[in-house]
Amino acid sequence: MDEATRKTSLAGIAPQLIRGAIGGLLMGLANLVPGISGGTMLLAAGVYREFIESVAEVTTLRFRARSLAMLGCVGGAAAIAILSLAGWMKGLVVEHRWVMFSLFIGLTLGGVPVIWRLLRPLSGRAAAGCVGGLLVMIGMAFAQPGGGAALLSGPAGYLLLFVSGVAAASAMILPGISGGYLLLVLGQYLTILGAIDRFKTALVGAGSAGLDGGQLVGPLYVFAPLGFGVAVGVVGATNLIKVLLVRYEKITLGVLLGLLIGAVFGLWPFQRGVAPKVGDVVSGRVMTADLIAELPAEKYPLEGFAPSGDQIAWAAGLILAGFLITQGIALIGRAGGSDAAGPSE
């Protein structure tokens, strides 16, 4: 390739790589916010199709500079957003749960028109897929109501983190499905945000006092099984969705729509964390004074409360605001020509 051709080639992909970086930042933010789909953010940035194809190429050991550059831009930008904002998001959810959950409901419902636009007209098979996806999410919501933190330890805890990684990575690939929401209903959302924040704190502190390996041990116990699950989820979901959207597009989108609508059932906003009392059983452990003192606020059991009229009004306004935010992002994506989710052949 001569110099002129190389410069022309670089100039041709530069706008798409910029879109990839923007999409990565949005996807990172989406993974921190239950209700916003990382896949929808890539659709909004106009790089969903190329991202899916790039991941599929790399996981089948086909390496092109363009694909690697796209994955680097998306993945790097997403990592920066997650590492920078995880602690902030965790604090908001713990301290202002009903406010954040109301916003999450609106953000989730805002993805429904995105999937519906790809799905219409609704066929019988798509409707059946929608019902199936809806039932799955309702079942998950009742199995882990309110997004309470699961306190499993040992092999069971590591297995749950692995499953959470698979689920979150798969949702990251699927437009309209929120990885953050799946982590919430699996009881791992605040656990993972806390580990990310502690990891960032250790890295920041390393600049002045040197890196303390002991501070990294706790987060690594979370990251290792979670990261393995993410790798499995990305590889499996990317190649699976590429096939399904080509061969069974309508029923696949129907399932996605059902999953998205059903996500709302796990986001009832009017609940709060309450410190357990001595003798209470929390995730199979009888609480003592020492255990209660060690239990972080994000792992307190949740209980519902009767909202005031003002809280109901604010919740309704936040739901509407979240819906409009997701719709605004989707409109940007449509303007960028990303209205089709399916990967090209």
Side-chain angles (χ1 to χ4, degrees), residues 215-231:
Q215 292 182 314
L216 298 179
V217 172
L220 289 178
Y221 277 125
V222 174
F223 293 158
L226 180 72
F228 185 44
V230 167

Side-chain angles (χ1 to χ4, degrees), residues 98 102 267-272 303-308 311-312 315:
W98 76 266
S102 298
L267 292 172
W268 176 249
F270 302 118
Q271 51 189 327
R272 59 192 167 202
E303 67 173 23
F305 66 91
S308 66
Q311 286 175 323
I312 293 173

Side-chain angles (χ1 to χ4, degrees), residues 65-160:
R66 183 186 183 100
S67 297
L68 293 174
M70 174 58 67
L71 293 179
C73 287
V74 173
I80 290 171
I82 291 172
L83 194 60
S84 301
L85 299 174
W88 176 70
M89 183 57 65
K90 172 192 165 188
L92 286 175
V93 172
V94 171
E95 296 172 17
H96 308 284
R97 188 179 297 268
W98 76 266
V99 172
M100 298 306 294
F101 274 32
S102 298
L103 183 62
F104 294 164
I105 290 173
L107 294 168
T108 299
L109 292 176
V112 171
V114 175
I115 303 298
W116 176 253
R117 193 164 48 247
L118 301 172
L119 179 61
R120 63 187 182 194
L122 185 67
S123 66
R125 289 187 175 184
C130 181
V131 171
L134 178 64
L135 293 176
V136 166
M137 294 305 284
I138 292 175
M140 289 181 65
F142 280 101
Q144 183 65 42
L151 301 180
L152 298 178
S153 59
Y158 296 140
L159 178 60
L160 183 56

Side-chain angles (χ1 to χ4, degrees), residues 5-47:
T5 303
R6 186 183 68 83
K7 288 182 178 180
T8 301
S9 178
L10 290 174
I13 67 172
Q16 198 69 353
L17 294 181
I18 293 172
R19 280 180 173 268
I22 294 171
L25 286 171
L26 292 173
M27 185 174 71
L29 291 171
N31 288 331
L32 292 174
V33 180
I36 300 185
S37 161
T40 299
M41 297 301 100
L42 294 180
L43 274 173
V47 295

Side-chain angles (χ1 to χ4, degrees), residues 264-286:
V264 175
F265 286 86
L267 292 172
W268 176 249
F270 302 118
Q271 51 189 327
R272 59 192 167 202
V274 178
K277 299 180 178 63
V278 174
D280 289 349
V281 178
V282 177
S283 295
R285 296 192 300 176
V286 178

Side-chain angles (χ1 to χ4, degrees), residues 155-228:
Y158 296 140
L159 178 60
L160 183 56
L161 282 167
F162 169 77
V163 171
S164 299
V166 173
S170 301
M172 179 178 68
I173 300 300
L174 303 175
I177 309 302
S178 167
Y181 172 80
L182 295 182
L183 293 179
L184 195 68
V185 296
L186 288 169
Q188 300 301 298
Y189 177 70
L190 292 175
T191 298
I192 292 168
L193 290 190
I196 294 171
D197 192 42
R198 291 195 301 275
F199 181 76
K200 183 188 73 173
T201 300
L203 291 180
V204 171
S208 55
L211 185 62
D212 183 355
Q215 292 182 314
L216 298 179
V217 172
L220 289 178
Y221 277 125
V222 174
F223 293 158
L226 180 72
F228 185 44

